[in-house]
């Protein structure tokens, strides 16, 4: 049995002891005991408990891999999450003042991906264990918004109906303005009688829409979400900001940063989270590799009064970033790439004459890399504001503003 002192919490949410040993759910200042398993201490027995340790809010905490930090006092957790941004920038040599962490949890997460597995006669629906493919059957998830109150029951009913296919399923559920939107992935083709059973389940749980791999099973109502003056008809399993409050806060910060711009490029525009809001004061060009998302964004502008104009182009910005010459017509650029960041696009932005840039990031390490490229190209990093949409997780988002 090995005894160690937890020195700090690492970037992935585990406690860290000397020699880089990971201590699952360990908190700074604790002394713990366990057996070393490669680079982890398992199982962990607390010998000296941190005064910052609190009771978790979920009965599945410690088994379910979804939340890692429910046991940490709020002020200590918030300071650590802001420090993730500070440390990532420092590693890239980027000097910037990082604002206090903004709580963007709101009512909770409005989308979830439940996993379903058939184990003998049982259909297990829930989330995966930490660093494992084993399933945790869940009965409650406190981080979900009230709009997903019946999502787990609906997902279980769909999974049980498809159980005879004996395939692992992912069930994407989104709370929309008109009810739950559920998309099933992994089932393969389904026979007509089973599709009829799924349509009956949609009726029983009052789903707005039920799809399989994006293909329609039944639509009882169009699943909409408001974005600025527009209302977007969501594509199945569409990417969205995790919480409604988070989307509103990020969009407000972006809007403030580009205020006064007449022509704005929205790179990695998705279904129009920022573009549709910015269009009330500027002409916006959205660029996104997902054709379905671009179509949904443009469709949402039809008949909406007061918009300055939204154009969309299907374009893979990893393979074909907007070149410096193409960027010349824009007063401001908004960029919201996925977790891998946008190195190729950042290099072209650095070469461009764009005067204002707003970078929305969901991965601080790749943001820091891209920020260093932009600064080397003549941009000044004016502000960095971290947002916490994924409460109890190591995931932190941010909005950064740059100017020439």
């Amino acid at each position: 049995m090995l005894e160690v002192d937890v020195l700090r919490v690492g970037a992935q949410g585990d406690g860290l002891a000397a020699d880089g040993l990971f201590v699952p759910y360990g908190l700074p200042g604790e002394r713990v005991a366990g057996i070393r398993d490669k680079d982890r201490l398992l199982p962990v027995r607390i010998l000296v408990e941190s005064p910052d340790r609190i009771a978790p809010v979920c009965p599945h905490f410690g088994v379910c891999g979804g939340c890692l930090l429910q046991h940490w006092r709020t002020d200590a957790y918030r300071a650590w999450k802001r420090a993730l941004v500070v440390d990532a920038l420092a590693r890239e040599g980027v000097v910037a003042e990082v604002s206090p962490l903004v709580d963007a949890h709101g009512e909770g997460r409005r989308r979830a991906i439940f996993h379903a597995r058939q184990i003998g006669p049982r259909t297990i629906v829930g989330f995966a264990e930490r660093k494992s493919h084993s399933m945790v059957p869940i009965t409650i998830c406190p981080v979900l918004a009230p709009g997903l109150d019946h999502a787990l029951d609906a997902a279980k009913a769909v999974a049980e109906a498809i159980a005879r296919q004996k395939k692992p399923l992912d069930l994407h559920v989104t709370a929309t303005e008109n009810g739950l939107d559920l998309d099933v992935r992994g089932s393969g083709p389904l026979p007509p009688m089973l599709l009829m059973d799924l349509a009956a389940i949609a009726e029983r749980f009052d789903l707005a829409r039920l799809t399989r791999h994006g293909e329609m099973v039944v639509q009882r109502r169009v699943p909409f979400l408001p974005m600025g003056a527009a209302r977007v008809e969501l594509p199945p399993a569409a990417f969205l900001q995790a919480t409604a409050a988070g989307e509103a806060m990020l969009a407000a910060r972006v809007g403030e940063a580009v205020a006064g711009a007449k022509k704005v490029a929205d790179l990695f525009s998705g279904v129009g989270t920022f573009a549709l809001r910015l269009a009330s004061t500027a002409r916006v060009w959205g660029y996104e590799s997902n054709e379905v998302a671009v179509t949904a964004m443009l469709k949402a502008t039809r008949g909406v009064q007061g918009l300055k104009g939204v154009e969309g182009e299907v374009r893979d910005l990893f393979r074909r970033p907007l070149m410096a010459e193409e960027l010349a017509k824009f007063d401001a650029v908004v960029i919201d790439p996925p977790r891998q960041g946008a190195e190729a696009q950042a290099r072209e932005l650095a070469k461009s004459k764009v005067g204002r840039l707003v970078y929305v990031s969901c991965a601080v390490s790749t943001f820091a890399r891209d920020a260093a490229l932009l600064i080397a190209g003549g941009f000044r990093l004016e502000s960095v504001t971290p947002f916490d949409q994924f409460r109890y997780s190591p995931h932190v988002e941010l909005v950064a503003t740059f100017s020439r």
Side-chain angles (χ1 to χ4, degrees), residues 76-88:
Y77 158 78
R78 288 173 56 82
W80 166 79
K81 208 156 205 184
R82 176 183 176 275
L84 292 178
V85 181
V86 174
D87 294 346

Side-chain angles (χ1 to χ4, degrees), residues 104-110 142-147 243-245:
H105 182 74
E107 291 188 327
R109 302 183 200 174
R110 60 184 176 181
V143 300
L144 299 184
T243 70

Side-chain angles (χ1 to χ4, degrees), residues 157-196:
V158 170
E160 287 168 356
I162 303 176
R164 70 193 78 164
Q165 303 296 109
K166 297 183 179 180
K167 292 188 176 183
L169 304 175
D170 289 336
L171 301 112
H172 297 241
V173 191
T174 304
T176 78
E177 195 176 62
N178 291 338
L180 294 177
D181 185 26
L182 195 159
D183 184 59
V184 184
R185 301 287 168 111
S187 69
L190 299 177
M193 288 302 296
L194 183 48
L195 292 175
M196 292 177 63

Side-chain angles (χ1 to χ4, degrees), residues 315-326:
R315 182 160 174 168
D316 185 338
L317 296 172
F318 295 111
R319 297 182 178 181
R320 284 204 312 128
L322 262 68
M323 307 304 285
E325 297 78 9
E326 296 176 277

